[in-house]
Amino acid sequence: MKLRDMLLVADNNKGTEHKYLSGVEDYMSALFEVFKDSETETEVSHVLKELCQTKDNSRWVKVYPTADRTFSARFCGSARELRDFLLGIHGMTDRETVFDKDRCTKECLEVLTAYDMDCGGHPLIGKLHYEKQEYVFRQGETLHNLNGCDYCVLMVLNERDLFLMALNSGQFLIAQDTRAYARYPREGRYSPDSIIRGIEWEHGVYLGNDLSVIDLDSIQKEYAPDQDAGQDESGEDEEPER
């Protein structure tokens, strides 16, 4: 199962909220069980249609099988959203919620491991293997950092240093000594979906959110001196236009 095929579910029953991770089929089966009237099939079909729309928006689809019970669900949009859900930062209730591992679809728990999280949203220690990958970075592409954030490559300064913009915050930074990795569980069997590909860097120079105050010429001279020298040499060889 892929991250974005997984449902985040909260079941509030008489004020007690349990949250869990589910595949679509398992969630639909759960709804069929809690609805008691003859319009169950129509209701569940409507819920499925609304759920599909959550892949493009951030709202929760709520279902009220009884007066004192509410199901809330949506498709998971990112690793950060998954972590926030597990940590309780999902804006559903101010009360403490309980993570119900027994109600989770098995493949969803494998997704947790692949994205370096335990059931509480905390990093795993020593459970994952990082394998370096050969990769040529390209200007304009979007890269996934293995910490869960995505970045747009504004400039490839040299083979390992990149000028990036964080897509979730708009912050600019220079990622020094950046490398590509494939990350997967260290032990046991795992599916291809458990292999997460992304980048990590040795050091980040954070430059804020205002591009107009960033000296791009100085950055290029510091990190890409060979590029500048090549441009100067090519400029000397060219004849001026007449």
Side-chain angles (χ1 to χ4, degrees):
M1 180 180 290
K2 295 184 181 299
L3 177 76
R4 292 175 62 87
D5 294 331
M6 181 171 64
L7 291 175
L8 312 177
V9 183
D11 176 8
N12 191 313
N13 192 1
K14 298 180 181 179
T16 301
E17 185 171 275
H18 290 80
K19 58 187 177 183
Y20 61 99
L21 308 172
S22 179
V24 174
E25 290 186 8
D26 286 348
Y27 184 57
M28 293 297 104
S29 297
L31 293 185
F32 273 115
E33 289 181 10
V34 297
F35 279 109
K36 303 299 183 183
D37 55 48
S38 60
E39 297 181 356
T40 299
E41 186 172 344
T42 302
E43 183 70 26
V44 173
S45 177
H46 178 69
V47 169
L48 179 58
K49 182 178 180 180
E50 287 194 315
L51 273 175
C52 290
Q53 295 173 358
T54 68
K55 289 195 172 188
D56 301 314
N57 60 51
S58 58
R59 73 183 188 89
W60 294 85
V61 176
K62 295 182 179 293
V63 180
Y64 305 92
T66 63
D68 52 9
R69 190 173 188 182
T70 306
F71 280 87
S72 303
R74 60 162 288 111
F75 277 101
C76 183
S78 67
R80 170 163 291 190
E81 188 174 281
L82 173 59
R83 191 180 301 278
D84 286 349
F85 177 75
L86 296 172
L87 291 171
I89 312 171
H90 51 81
M92 306 266 284
T93 177
D94 294 332
R95 300 176 184 175
E96 183 176 353
T97 59
V98 178
F99 185 81
D100 194 339
K101 185 177 180 180
D102 292 337
R103 293 172 70 179
C104 291
T105 302
K106 177 178 177 291
E107 289 79 7
C108 293
L109 296 177
E110 294 176 356
V111 172
L112 278 187
T113 301
Y115 281 87
D116 191 26
M117 300 181 209
D118 62 16
C119 293
H122 305 292
L124 301 171
I125 305 298
K127 298 283 188 179
L128 299 173
H129 175 71
Y130 290 74
E131 182 178 317
K132 286 184 179 179
Q133 305 286 294
E134 291 295 328
Y135 189 81
V136 177
F137 298 111
R138 302 181 301 276
Q139 183 175 332
E141 69 177 328
T142 297
L143 298 174
H144 176 71
N145 189 308
L146 291 176
N147 68 6
C149 298
D150 292 331
Y151 295 83
C152 178
V153 180
L154 300 183
M155 283 194 293
V156 178
L157 300 170
N158 56 56
E159 187 179 25
R160 297 291 178 212
D161 298 331
L162 308 174
F163 181 52
L164 306 175
M165 182 185 73
L167 295 183
N168 67 319
S169 66
Q171 186 176 59
F172 300 97
L173 70 145
I174 299 170
Q176 299 178 345
D177 195 16
T178 307
R179 297 192 180 264
Y181 293 90
R183 185 181 69 192
Y184 48 86
R186 187 181 294 274
E187 298 178 353
R189 299 178 64 182
Y190 55 87
S191 69
D193 288 342
S194 296
I195 303 175
I196 307 301
R197 302 183 188 279
I199 61 166
E200 289 198 341
W201 53 77
E202 187 68 25
H203 181 67
V205 180
Y206 295 87
L207 304 171
N209 295 69
D210 189 351
L211 184 61
S212 66
V213 300
I214 299 174
D215 191 340
L216 299 179
D217 288 339
S218 295
I219 290 174
Q220 286 183 303
K221 288 179 180 178
E222 180 177 356
Y223 289 92
D226 294 341
Q227 199 174 92
D228 288 343
Q231 291 176 352
D232 292 341
E233 291 174 3
S234 63
E236 292 175 0
D237 293 338
E238 291 177 358
E239 293 186 4
E241 294 183 2
R242 300 182 184 278

